[in-house]
Amino acid sequence: MKQVKLTLNLSEQEIKGTLERYHFSKEDLPVLCSFFLALKPLIDSKAFYEIVSPKQKRPEQLGFVEEKHFLAAIVTLGEPLDRFQELYLEAQDILSAYVIECLSLDLLNQAYEKLAERIEAEEGLYISKYEFLGEKYPLDKTKDIFDYFSQSQVTYNEAYMLMPQKSVVFLGKLTREKKEICRHICESCRKENCANRIVVKKPEEIHPRYF
């Protein structure tokens, strides 16, 4: 298993993208920028990953994966961001919690990209498809992946919900052909109603469990 600390940052232009994707008005830009400045020092993003090639013996816990050349990864933004959001939830400030959620989702998307860039630079490999548990592979395979990765910073409960909440487990099909690269995780995701999708619903339409 490899571990890497990911340095994440959202520029003002990227926050403008957040503004548009999540249905804020242009007048909300200073608010989003202020929230990002507040949460930026709290980002503790890490990736735990393993590259499995056809030439090596496959780990027993990852034997369920059909791809011959793939990446298994756990990515997190860290626990401090959860605690920061919880402060606003406890104060019943749903809008502020929503701002933190949206910024965090864009940071998590950036974390995918940073990990993909690292794999490209170190291994000359590209991710051509992302697979998330609960689609092609059942959620209970979460246990197998966590059994393989000897780390304690990300955990899961009986419902396979990850803690910290701004975390994700995924598999990535690998290729050496740059033309096959998957530019964004949503390109290969079939969950069109996923709250983590680039285009999401308005705050009042999102299920309360996301806050």
Side-chain angles (χ1 to χ4, degrees), residues 31-170:
V31 175
L32 268 69
C33 288
S34 295
F35 266 101
F36 179 70
L37 288 175
L39 67 80
K40 183 178 178 181
L42 304 176
I43 300 170
D44 185 22
S45 184
K46 294 184 178 68
F48 307 91
Y49 66 99
E50 189 69 73
I51 294 173
V52 178
S53 73
K55 296 180 180 180
Q56 71 184 85
K57 182 179 179 181
R58 179 169 301 202
E60 181 179 350
Q61 298 93 330
L62 303 179
F64 68 91
V65 183
E66 295 179 7
E67 303 295 346
K68 294 181 179 179
H69 202 179
F70 67 91
L71 162 78
I74 300 173
V75 176
T76 183
L77 297 184
E79 187 180 357
L81 273 184
D82 283 359
R83 296 201 299 267
F84 184 55
Q85 188 178 37
E86 286 167 4
L87 292 175
Y88 291 93
L89 293 174
E90 291 169 2
Q92 298 185 342
D93 187 346
I94 301 300
L95 181 57
S96 294
Y98 179 67
V99 170
I100 296 168
E101 183 78 6
C102 294
L103 291 168
S104 297
L105 290 174
D106 277 0
L107 285 166
L108 197 53
N109 287 328
Q110 189 179 103
Y112 293 127
E113 295 169 2
K114 293 285 187 180
L115 178 57
E117 289 170 2
R118 182 181 180 91
I119 293 169
E120 177 184 345
E122 292 186 348
E123 308 288 342
L125 295 167
Y126 306 95
I127 299 175
S128 63
K129 185 178 181 181
Y130 290 85
E131 288 283 359
F132 296 90
L133 300 183
E135 298 179 356
K136 182 177 180 178
Y137 303 110
L139 272 176
D140 60 14
K141 294 302 181 183
T142 301
K143 181 180 185 302
D144 296 322
I145 294 176
F146 272 78
D147 284 347
Y148 178 72
F149 285 106
S150 56
Q151 59 81 40
S152 59
Q153 296 188 43
V154 183
T155 60
Y156 65 94
N157 61 19
E158 293 181 355
Y160 300 108
M161 181 176 290
L162 303 182
M163 288 82 69
Q165 294 182 30
K166 307 299 184 295
S167 304
V168 71
V169 177
F170 69 92

Side-chain angles (χ1 to χ4, degrees), residues 145-207:
I145 294 176
F146 272 78
D147 284 347
Y148 178 72
F149 285 106
S150 56
Q151 59 81 40
S152 59
Q153 296 188 43
V154 183
T155 60
Y156 65 94
N157 61 19
E158 293 181 355
Y160 300 108
M161 181 176 290
L162 303 182
M163 288 82 69
Q165 294 182 30
K166 307 299 184 295
S167 304
V168 71
V169 177
F170 69 92
L171 301 166
K173 180 180 179 181
L174 296 175
T175 178
R176 294 195 179 275
E177 299 295 329
K178 190 172 184 178
K179 63 182 180 181
E180 297 177 8
I181 190 172
C182 181
R183 294 293 177 184
H184 196 277
I185 59 170
C186 294
E187 288 182 18
S188 54
C189 179
R190 295 184 291 273
K191 292 186 177 180
E192 294 183 0
N193 295 323
C194 176
N196 294 342
R197 205 166 181 83
I198 285 299
V199 179
V200 300
K201 299 178 181 179
K202 296 180 181 179
E204 63 269 21
E205 298 174 332
I206 293 184
H207 194 283

